[in-house]
Amino acid sequence: MPTPVIEFSLLDRLRSAHHWVVFTGAGVSAESGIPTFRDKQTGLWERFAAHELATPEAFHRDPALVWGWYEWRRALVLRAQPNPAHVAIAQLATLVPQLTLITQNVDDLHERAGSVNVLHLHGELMRARCERCRQHFPYPAEMPAIPEGGARIEPPVCTQCGARIRPGVVWFGETLPEREWLTARTAANQCDALLCIGTSSVVQPAASLTRLAIAHGAITVQINPNVTDIDDEVTCSLRGRAGEIVPELIEQLRAMI
Ligand code: OAD
Protein backbone atom coordinates (compact mmCIF):
# COMPACT_ATOMS: atom_id res chain seq x y z
CA MET A 1 0.00 0.00 0.00
CA PRO A 2 1.61 3.34 -1.06
CA THR A 3 2.02 5.91 1.73
CA PRO A 4 -0.65 8.60 1.27
CA VAL A 5 0.35 12.20 0.65
CA ILE A 6 -0.16 14.32 3.74
CA GLU A 7 -1.67 17.58 2.48
CA PHE A 8 0.04 20.84 3.45
CA SER A 9 -3.32 22.34 4.44
CA LEU A 10 -3.78 19.56 7.01
CA LEU A 11 -0.30 20.05 8.46
CA ASP A 12 -0.89 23.79 8.57
CA ARG A 13 -4.08 23.35 10.61
CA LEU A 14 -2.46 20.78 12.89
CA ARG A 15 0.53 22.93 13.72
CA SER A 16 -1.66 25.56 15.38
CA ALA A 17 -3.33 22.96 17.65
CA HIS A 18 -2.59 23.46 21.34
CA HIS A 19 -4.17 20.43 22.99
CA TRP A 20 -3.75 17.13 21.14
CA VAL A 21 -5.46 13.84 21.86
CA VAL A 22 -3.95 10.66 20.49
CA PHE A 23 -6.48 7.82 20.66
CA THR A 24 -5.14 4.37 19.81
CA GLY A 25 -6.46 0.86 19.28
CA ALA A 26 -5.05 -2.55 18.56
CA GLY A 27 -3.81 -1.52 15.09
CA VAL A 28 -1.06 0.61 16.61
CA SER A 29 0.50 -2.54 18.09
CA ALA A 30 -0.15 -4.79 15.08
CA GLU A 31 3.29 -4.14 13.60
CA SER A 32 4.80 -5.18 16.93
CA GLY A 33 3.29 -8.61 16.36
CA ILE A 34 0.32 -8.27 18.70
CA PRO A 35 -2.92 -9.43 17.05
CA THR A 36 -5.83 -7.03 16.67
CA PHE A 37 -9.38 -8.13 17.49
CA ARG A 38 -11.36 -7.81 14.29
CA ASP A 39 -8.93 -8.06 11.37
CA LYS A 40 -9.96 -10.91 9.06
CA GLN A 41 -8.30 -14.25 9.93
CA THR A 42 -5.75 -12.86 12.39
CA GLY A 43 -8.07 -10.93 14.74
CA LEU A 44 -8.52 -12.44 18.21
CA TRP A 45 -12.31 -12.31 17.97
CA GLU A 46 -12.10 -14.07 14.59
CA ARG A 47 -10.25 -16.98 16.21
CA PHE A 48 -11.60 -17.09 19.77
CA ALA A 49 -15.07 -16.65 21.28
CA ALA A 50 -15.23 -13.41 23.27
CA HIS A 51 -18.12 -14.69 25.43
CA GLU A 52 -15.97 -17.66 26.56
CA LEU A 53 -12.94 -15.54 27.43
CA ALA A 54 -13.73 -11.89 28.02
CA THR A 55 -16.70 -11.63 30.37
CA PRO A 56 -16.99 -11.87 34.18
CA GLU A 57 -19.32 -14.87 33.66
CA ALA A 58 -16.67 -16.67 31.59
CA PHE A 59 -14.10 -16.21 34.35
CA HIS A 60 -16.47 -17.58 36.99
CA ARG A 61 -17.43 -20.52 34.78
CA ASP A 62 -13.88 -21.52 33.82
CA PRO A 63 -11.16 -19.48 35.57
CA ALA A 64 -8.30 -21.70 34.32
CA LEU A 65 -9.31 -21.28 30.66
CA VAL A 66 -9.59 -17.51 30.95
CA TRP A 67 -6.44 -17.00 33.05
CA GLY A 68 -4.41 -19.20 30.69
CA TRP A 69 -5.62 -17.29 27.63
CA TYR A 70 -4.62 -13.96 29.16
CA GLU A 71 -1.26 -15.45 30.19
CA TRP A 72 -0.68 -16.29 26.51
CA ARG A 73 -1.49 -12.71 25.55
CA ARG A 74 0.78 -11.40 28.32
CA ALA A 75 3.62 -13.58 26.98
CA LEU A 76 3.09 -12.12 23.48
CA VAL A 77 3.34 -8.60 24.86
CA LEU A 78 6.46 -9.39 26.91
CA ARG A 79 8.18 -10.61 23.75
CA ALA A 80 7.04 -7.63 21.63
CA GLN A 81 8.84 -4.34 21.13
CA PRO A 82 7.36 -0.88 20.52
CA ASN A 83 7.22 -0.04 16.80
CA PRO A 84 7.88 3.29 15.03
CA ALA A 85 4.28 4.43 15.64
CA HIS A 86 4.63 4.10 19.42
CA VAL A 87 7.96 5.91 19.28
CA ALA A 88 6.61 8.74 17.10
CA ILE A 89 3.64 9.27 19.45
CA ALA A 90 6.03 9.60 22.40
CA GLN A 91 8.06 12.15 20.38
CA LEU A 92 4.93 14.11 19.46
CA ALA A 93 4.31 14.73 23.17
CA THR A 94 7.61 16.61 23.34
CA LEU A 95 6.76 18.78 20.30
CA VAL A 96 3.29 20.08 21.15
CA PRO A 97 2.05 22.16 24.12
CA GLN A 98 -0.33 19.52 25.52
CA LEU A 99 -1.00 15.90 24.61
CA THR A 100 -3.37 13.37 26.14
CA LEU A 101 -2.68 9.77 25.10
CA ILE A 102 -5.72 7.52 25.39
CA THR A 103 -5.49 3.86 24.46
CA GLN A 104 -7.86 0.92 24.30
CA ASN A 105 -4.84 -1.37 24.37
CA VAL A 106 -3.95 -3.49 27.35
CA ASP A 107 -0.28 -3.79 26.36
CA ASP A 108 2.45 -1.50 27.71
CA LEU A 109 4.12 -0.61 24.40
CA HIS A 110 3.27 3.10 24.61
CA GLU A 111 5.00 3.27 28.00
CA ARG A 112 7.99 1.28 26.75
CA ALA A 113 8.32 3.74 23.85
CA GLY A 114 8.55 6.59 26.37
CA SER A 115 4.96 7.86 26.71
CA VAL A 116 3.84 8.86 30.20
CA ASN A 117 0.41 9.22 31.83
CA VAL A 118 -1.18 6.86 29.32
CA LEU A 119 -4.93 6.49 29.91
CA HIS A 120 -5.76 2.79 29.53
CA LEU A 121 -9.52 2.67 29.00
CA HIS A 122 -9.64 -1.13 28.86
CA GLY A 123 -7.17 -1.89 31.65
CA GLU A 124 -3.66 -3.29 31.55
CA LEU A 125 -2.53 -6.88 31.04
CA MET A 126 0.38 -6.40 33.44
CA ARG A 127 -1.84 -5.23 36.31
CA ALA A 128 -3.74 -8.28 37.50
CA ARG A 129 -5.62 -7.81 40.74
CA CYS A 130 -7.65 -9.66 43.35
CA GLU A 131 -11.25 -9.99 42.24
CA ARG A 132 -12.44 -9.32 45.79
CA CYS A 133 -10.12 -6.85 47.55
CA ARG A 134 -8.48 -5.47 44.34
CA GLN A 135 -4.96 -5.96 45.78
CA HIS A 136 -2.42 -5.67 42.96
CA PHE A 137 -0.80 -9.00 42.00
CA PRO A 138 2.99 -9.01 41.50
CA TYR A 139 3.68 -11.33 38.55
CA PRO A 140 6.75 -13.56 39.00
CA ALA A 141 9.76 -12.43 36.93
CA GLU A 142 9.80 -15.67 34.92
CA MET A 143 7.10 -16.10 32.30
CA PRO A 144 6.21 -19.77 31.76
CA ALA A 145 6.19 -21.04 28.15
CA ILE A 146 2.59 -21.00 26.93
CA PRO A 147 1.35 -22.59 23.70
CA GLU A 148 -0.34 -20.55 20.96
CA GLY A 149 -3.86 -19.70 22.06
CA GLY A 150 -3.21 -20.35 25.74
CA ALA A 151 -3.37 -23.32 28.09
CA ARG A 152 -5.43 -24.14 31.13
CA ILE A 153 -3.73 -22.44 34.09
CA GLU A 154 -5.37 -21.99 37.49
CA PRO A 155 -5.27 -18.32 38.51
CA PRO A 156 -3.20 -17.54 41.61
CA VAL A 157 -4.93 -16.57 44.86
CA CYS A 158 -4.66 -13.28 46.72
CA THR A 159 -2.15 -13.35 49.58
CA GLN A 160 -4.32 -10.87 51.49
CA CYS A 161 -7.85 -12.31 51.28
CA GLY A 162 -7.54 -15.69 49.54
CA ALA A 163 -9.85 -14.81 46.61
CA ARG A 164 -8.89 -15.38 42.97
CA ILE A 165 -6.59 -13.06 41.06
CA ARG A 166 -8.17 -11.85 37.81
CA PRO A 167 -6.62 -10.31 34.68
CA GLY A 168 -6.33 -6.53 34.91
CA VAL A 169 -8.47 -5.87 31.86
CA VAL A 170 -12.00 -4.57 31.31
CA TRP A 171 -14.36 -7.29 30.17
CA PHE A 172 -17.55 -7.05 28.14
CA GLY A 173 -20.34 -5.97 30.47
CA GLU A 174 -17.98 -4.09 32.82
CA THR A 175 -17.65 -0.33 33.15
CA LEU A 176 -14.53 1.57 32.17
CA PRO A 177 -12.20 2.75 34.95
CA GLU A 178 -13.77 5.98 36.22
CA ARG A 179 -10.74 8.30 36.44
CA GLU A 180 -9.42 7.30 33.02
CA TRP A 181 -12.80 7.62 31.35
CA LEU A 182 -13.56 11.04 32.87
CA THR A 183 -10.13 12.37 31.95
CA ALA A 184 -10.43 10.97 28.42
CA ARG A 185 -13.88 12.52 27.87
CA THR A 186 -12.74 15.88 29.15
CA ALA A 187 -9.72 15.81 26.86
CA ALA A 188 -11.80 14.79 23.82
CA ASN A 189 -14.23 17.62 24.61
CA GLN A 190 -11.51 20.23 24.83
CA CYS A 191 -8.83 19.21 22.33
CA ASP A 192 -7.93 21.09 19.16
CA ALA A 193 -6.71 17.98 17.31
CA LEU A 194 -7.35 14.26 17.69
CA LEU A 195 -5.44 11.46 15.98
CA CYS A 196 -7.45 8.24 15.88
CA ILE A 197 -4.96 5.47 15.17
CA GLY A 198 -5.53 1.77 14.52
CA THR A 199 -9.02 1.32 15.87
CA SER A 200 -12.15 -0.02 14.19
CA SER A 201 -14.12 2.54 16.25
CA VAL A 202 -16.90 0.06 16.96
CA VAL A 203 -16.52 -0.58 20.69
CA GLN A 204 -18.47 1.81 22.88
CA PRO A 205 -18.14 3.89 24.88
CA ALA A 206 -14.47 4.32 23.88
CA ALA A 207 -15.29 4.93 20.21
CA SER A 208 -17.49 7.90 21.13
CA LEU A 209 -14.38 9.95 21.97
CA THR A 210 -13.62 10.74 18.32
CA ARG A 211 -17.20 11.90 17.76
CA LEU A 212 -16.98 14.12 20.86
CA ALA A 213 -13.92 15.80 19.36
CA ILE A 214 -15.63 16.14 15.97
CA ALA A 215 -18.73 17.64 17.61
CA HIS A 216 -16.83 20.47 19.21
CA GLY A 217 -14.84 21.29 16.08
CA ALA A 218 -11.45 19.63 16.61
CA ILE A 219 -9.37 18.57 13.61
CA THR A 220 -9.63 14.79 13.51
CA VAL A 221 -7.24 12.55 11.61
CA GLN A 222 -7.74 8.81 11.28
CA ILE A 223 -4.81 6.51 10.49
CA ASN A 224 -5.88 3.04 9.40
CA PRO A 225 -5.24 0.76 6.41
CA ASN A 226 -8.95 -0.10 6.25
CA VAL A 227 -12.26 1.71 5.99
CA THR A 228 -14.06 2.27 9.30
CA ASP A 229 -17.43 3.62 10.42
CA ILE A 230 -16.00 7.09 11.05
CA ASP A 231 -14.31 7.58 7.65
CA ASP A 232 -16.91 10.09 6.51
CA GLU A 233 -16.92 12.01 9.77
CA VAL A 234 -13.25 12.75 10.41
CA THR A 235 -11.45 15.73 8.87
CA CYS A 236 -9.06 13.38 7.08
CA SER A 237 -8.37 9.65 6.76
CA LEU A 238 -4.78 8.64 6.06
CA ARG A 239 -5.00 5.12 4.67
CA GLY A 240 -2.05 2.93 5.66
CA ARG A 241 -0.08 1.35 8.46
CA ALA A 242 0.50 3.27 11.66
CA GLY A 243 4.21 2.36 11.75
CA GLU A 244 4.72 4.16 8.45
CA ILE A 245 2.25 7.04 8.55
CA VAL A 246 2.59 8.24 12.14
CA PRO A 247 6.39 8.80 11.96
CA GLU A 248 5.96 10.51 8.57
CA LEU A 249 3.25 12.82 9.93
CA ILE A 250 5.29 13.72 13.02
CA GLU A 251 8.41 14.31 10.92
CA GLN A 252 6.58 16.67 8.60
CA LEU A 253 5.05 18.52 11.54
CA ARG A 254 8.42 18.80 13.25
CA ALA A 255 9.79 20.48 10.13
CA MET A 256 7.01 23.07 10.31
CA ILE A 257 6.85 23.83 14.04
P1 OAD B 1 -10.03 -3.84 16.31
O1 OAD B 1 -9.42 -5.15 16.05
O2 OAD B 1 -11.50 -3.75 16.38
O3 OAD B 1 -9.56 -2.83 15.18
C1 OAD B 1 -8.21 -2.72 14.83
C2 OAD B 1 -8.09 -1.71 13.74
O4 OAD B 1 -6.72 -1.55 13.44
C3 OAD B 1 -8.80 -2.09 12.44
O5 OAD B 1 -9.61 -1.03 11.99
C4 OAD B 1 -7.64 -2.35 11.47
O6 OAD B 1 -7.96 -1.96 10.14
C5 OAD B 1 -6.56 -1.47 12.05
N1 OAD B 1 -5.18 -1.88 11.73
C6 OAD B 1 -4.68 -3.11 11.48
N2 OAD B 1 -3.37 -3.05 11.26
C7 OAD B 1 -3.01 -1.75 11.38
C8 OAD B 1 -1.77 -1.05 11.27
N3 OAD B 1 -0.63 -1.67 10.98
N4 OAD B 1 -1.80 0.30 11.45
C9 OAD B 1 -2.95 0.94 11.74
N5 OAD B 1 -4.14 0.33 11.86
C10 OAD B 1 -4.17 -1.00 11.69
O7 OAD B 1 -9.32 -3.26 17.62
P2 OAD B 1 -9.81 -2.05 18.54
O8 OAD B 1 -10.53 -1.02 17.74
O9 OAD B 1 -8.66 -1.64 19.36
O10 OAD B 1 -11.70 -4.46 24.10
O11 OAD B 1 -10.85 -2.82 19.45
C11 OAD B 1 -11.49 -2.14 20.49
C12 OAD B 1 -11.72 -3.07 21.64
O12 OAD B 1 -12.38 -4.25 21.17
C13 OAD B 1 -10.46 -3.61 22.27
O13 OAD B 1 -9.87 -2.73 23.19
C14 OAD B 1 -10.94 -4.84 22.95
C15 OAD B 1 -11.83 -5.41 21.87
O14 OAD B 1 -12.88 -6.22 22.32
C16 OAD B 1 -11.61 -5.16 25.24
O15 OAD B 1 -10.90 -6.14 25.32
C17 OAD B 1 -12.47 -4.63 26.34
Side-chain angles (χ1 to χ4, degrees), residues 3 5 32 34 52 61 92 107 113 134 136 147 191 193 195 216 218 225 233 241 250 256:
T3 310
V5 175
S32 295
I34 299 180
E52 283 174 12
R61 205 166 42 236
L92 179 64
D107 65 54
R134 302 180 68 86
H136 176 65
C191 67
L195 305 183
H216 85 85
E233 299 173 52
R241 287 146 61 104
I250 305 315
M256 290 175 77

Side-chain angles (χ1 to χ4, degrees), residues 26-27 31 37-38 45 104 122 170 172 198-200 203 224-226 242:
E31 288 154 77
F37 293 92
R38 295 175 183 81
W45 298 152
Q104 297 164 89
H122 293 164
V170 175
F172 289 104
T199 174
S200 56
V203 173
N224 198 310
N226 297 307

Side-chain angles (χ1 to χ4, degrees), residues 11-252:
L11 293 165
D12 199 36
R13 287 181 70 188
L14 284 174
R15 82 169 157 173
S16 58
H18 179 89
H19 184 177
W20 289 63
V21 165
V22 176
F23 175 49
T24 64
V28 82
S29 296
E31 288 154 77
S32 295
I34 299 180
T36 63
F37 293 92
R38 295 175 183 81
D39 278 290
K40 297 256 168 338
Q41 283 156 9
T42 56
L44 291 174
W45 298 152
E46 297 282 317
R47 298 169 56 205
F48 302 98
H51 66 274
E52 283 174 12
L53 295 161
T55 68
E57 295 75 25
F59 188 55
H60 289 129
R61 205 166 42 236
D62 195 344
L65 175 79
V66 172
W67 182 262
W69 189 72
Y70 281 94
E71 280 294 88
W72 167 61
R73 289 183 55 197
R74 191 168 71 88
L76 284 179
V77 170
L78 284 173
R79 281 202 302 272
Q81 295 300 325
N83 67 53
H86 297 107
V87 173
I89 292 165
Q91 283 167 354
L92 179 64
T94 68
L95 295 177
V96 299
Q98 187 181 356
L99 186 142
T100 306
L101 175 52
I102 306 166
T103 189
Q104 297 164 89
N105 297 347
V106 294
D107 65 54
D108 60 354
L109 296 182
H110 282 306
E111 285 88 347
R112 284 202 261 145
S115 288
V116 292
N117 302 325
V118 185
L119 297 169
H120 284 271
L121 295 184
H122 293 164
E124 295 175 69
L125 266 181
M126 306 300 164
R127 294 189 64 83
R129 63 174 189 273
C130 172
E131 66 174 349
R132 187 188 299 148
C133 75
R134 302 180 68 86
Q135 151 123 314
H136 176 65
F137 172 68
Y139 280 108
E142 283 290 298
M143 179 85 218
I146 300 183
E148 170 75 13
R152 297 186 62 80
I153 303 173
E154 285 299 332
V157 290
C158 176
T159 51
Q160 194 142 291
C161 76
R164 265 192 306 252
I165 301 294
R166 58 159 285 172
V169 303
V170 175
W171 281 322
F172 289 104
E174 295 186 314
T175 52
L176 303 193
E178 202 174 303
R179 180 192 69 83
E180 283 80 355
W181 178 235
L182 264 176
T183 314
R185 275 184 61 93
T186 305
N189 260 320
Q190 294 174 349
C191 67
D192 307 301
L194 180 144
L195 305 183
C196 176
I197 307 173
T199 174
S200 56
S201 294
V202 295
V203 173
Q204 298 294 354
S208 67
L209 292 173
T210 307
R211 290 200 172 97
L212 278 182
I214 293 168
H216 85 85
I219 310 158
T220 49
V221 181
Q222 174 176 240
I223 296 165
N224 198 310
N226 297 307
V227 174
T228 74
D229 286 0
I230 60 164
D231 264 50
D232 296 338
E233 299 173 52
V234 290
T235 313
C236 173
S237 265
L238 298 174
R239 190 89 63 224
R241 287 146 61 104
E244 287 159 19
I245 295 186
V246 184
E248 180 66 28
L249 177 65
I250 305 315
E251 209 34 61
Q252 294 197 26

